[in-house]
Amino acid sequence: MNNKNNNIKNSSLIVANWKMNGSKTKIREDLQCYVKNKDTNTENIIFAVPYLYLALMQQAMWTTNAQYKIASQDISRFSGYGAYTGEVSSSMLPELDVTYSIIGHSERRNLCGDTDEIIAQKLHNLLSNQITPIYCIGESLTMRKSGEYTEFLLKQLDVFLEVFSKTQVVTQISQTSQAAAPTQSATSDIIIAYEPIWSIGTGIIPEIEQIEEIMNLIHAFVQKKLGHVKIAALYGGSVTSKNITEILQIPSVNGVLVGGASLNVDEFIQICHKAQL
Ligand code: PGA
């Protein structure tokens, strides 16, 4: 199966998920290195930093003419504006040139109580604001060992499908009734990241065949149910400069989501360098 057919990007996407890490100083210092380097100063690199630093990322992008893209690591389940103390709305993201947002990460699901219902609301809000979702799916070790992980992952994809199908209709109707349609800033319609929970932050990488099986599953699902949609399928979980080449050699992998290894400048440059080869 040629799974790159419905993928619009020829180069691999690299999402750096900083999680709850970073500082103003680190951002300034790291970006200075990244904009000078041809492997990291590219629009295929997406930095997902804490909310607090999104404006700084935007400012640095403008002043240095950098090519990177910006993502939020999450978004509110509530839409628009209103009395939701502590929440950040997807309507606010375009103002900061944030064109991507991670949702459904297992740390949100397991540590912060994000249910399928909440993730569906977040997805709807992102799509309504023309933000490309980076929708994470992934099974626990127990689920994998039970042998029922495929059904489990397909259920997570079904949540995506249901919201996506409904939101597309609403968005199209609202766009035709508006004088100015929202800007289409993203390069692929959707990004789905497969992140086996047992691999996140553990240094354990699945077998290449195991990654390939799920990547093929994602592409087949999207092709069958959402044929017209441009998708990038990413792998995430203990990606480093040592294993990235092998991972990206899998035809159905369109990029990677990097956590811990994206915090170290030299290591991240190596990862990006190998991804461009
Ligand atoms: P890791 O995290 O690269 O540190 O395993 C990946 C992720 O959680 O996105």
Side-chain angles (χ1 to χ4, degrees):
M1 173 173 12
N2 182 358
N3 284 317
K4 298 236 173 187
N5 277 348
N6 62 339
N7 161 39
I8 60 147
K9 299 191 80 68
N10 294 322
S11 331
S12 301
L13 268 185
I14 303 191
V15 182
N17 179 10
W18 279 25
K19 308 192 180 184
M20 200 172 71
N21 294 295
S23 65
K24 279 165 78 171
T25 311
K26 176 170 173 57
I27 287 188
R28 285 202 192 98
E29 286 174 1
D30 288 11
L31 289 181
Q32 254 176 28
C33 299
Y34 294 148
V35 293
K36 276 192 260 164
N37 189 306
K38 70 172 175 35
D39 294 323
T40 45
N41 192 16
T42 142
E43 60 170 17
N44 295 329
I45 313 249
I46 304 170
F47 288 102
V49 299
Y51 289 130
L52 198 60
Y53 304 128
L54 292 174
L56 190 57
M57 294 296 291
Q58 180 197 39
Q59 205 183 14
M61 191 166 73
W62 282 356
T63 50
T64 59
N65 221 1
Q67 303 295 305
Y68 60 77
K69 303 283 180 199
I70 312 173
S72 69
Q73 294 177 9
D74 189 38
I75 201 59
S76 179
R77 64 188 290 197
F78 303 107
S79 63
Y81 300 86
Y84 302 106
T85 304
E87 294 289 294
V88 174
S89 167
S90 51
S91 306
M92 298 166 181
L93 297 184
E95 232 187 333
L96 294 177
D97 291 326
V98 176
T99 46
Y100 297 85
S101 179
I102 299 174
I103 50 168
H105 192 284
S106 58
E107 283 153 17
R108 296 288 325 169
R109 292 179 193 261
N110 299 332
L111 303 176
C112 310
D114 278 13
T115 58
D116 280 344
E117 191 195 343
I118 291 174
I119 295 163
Q121 289 165 337
K122 293 179 176 186
L123 177 60
H124 172 83
N125 294 341
L126 291 177
L127 294 171
S128 307
N129 284 286
Q130 310 289 297
I131 311 284
T132 304
I134 303 173
Y135 182 81
C136 300
I137 61 169
E139 81 288 1
S140 65
L141 194 54
T142 316
M143 180 57 72
R144 167 133 309 244
K145 283 185 176 157
S146 77
E148 286 167 18
Y149 57 92
T150 311
E151 292 77 9
F152 178 80
L153 295 169
L154 282 171
K155 275 199 196 125
Q156 292 187 325
L157 289 175
D158 275 335
V159 172
F160 184 92
L161 173 69
E162 203 185 328
V163 178
F164 192 82
S165 312
K166 280 191 200 145
T167 314
Q168 283 302 89
V169 177
V170 174
T171 313
Q172 276 158 19
I173 292 169
S174 71
Q175 277 183 18
T176 46
S177 63
Q178 281 171 13
T183 47
Q184 187 66 51
S185 49
T187 48
S188 52
D189 295 335
I190 56 171
I191 299 177
I192 296 180
Y194 169 53
E195 299 212 307
I197 299 171
W198 43 280
S199 177
I200 296 177
T202 59
I204 302 168
I205 277 271
E207 300 292 326
I208 290 303
E209 297 72 32
Q210 291 178 313
I211 298 178
E212 189 162 27
E213 181 196 17
I214 307 304
M215 290 292 150
N216 288 346
L217 183 87
I218 294 171
H219 279 283
F221 180 92
V222 172
Q223 223 154 37
K224 186 165 166 214
K225 315 257 178 162
L226 303 162
H228 59 288
V229 169
K230 295 172 204 145
I231 178 203
L234 311 186
Y235 168 77
S238 296
V239 174
T240 65
S241 61
K242 298 212 165 47
N243 55 34
I244 184 150
T245 306
E246 213 186 347
I247 293 169
L248 290 180
Q249 271 166 1
I250 304 171
S252 44
V253 173
N254 308 124
V256 286
L257 209 161
V258 189
S262 73
L263 292 169
N264 179 297
V265 178
D266 295 335
E267 169 68 0
F268 191 62
I269 288 175
Q270 271 303 307
I271 289 174
C272 297
H273 177 66
K274 291 192 172 172
Q276 312 299 329
L277 294 178

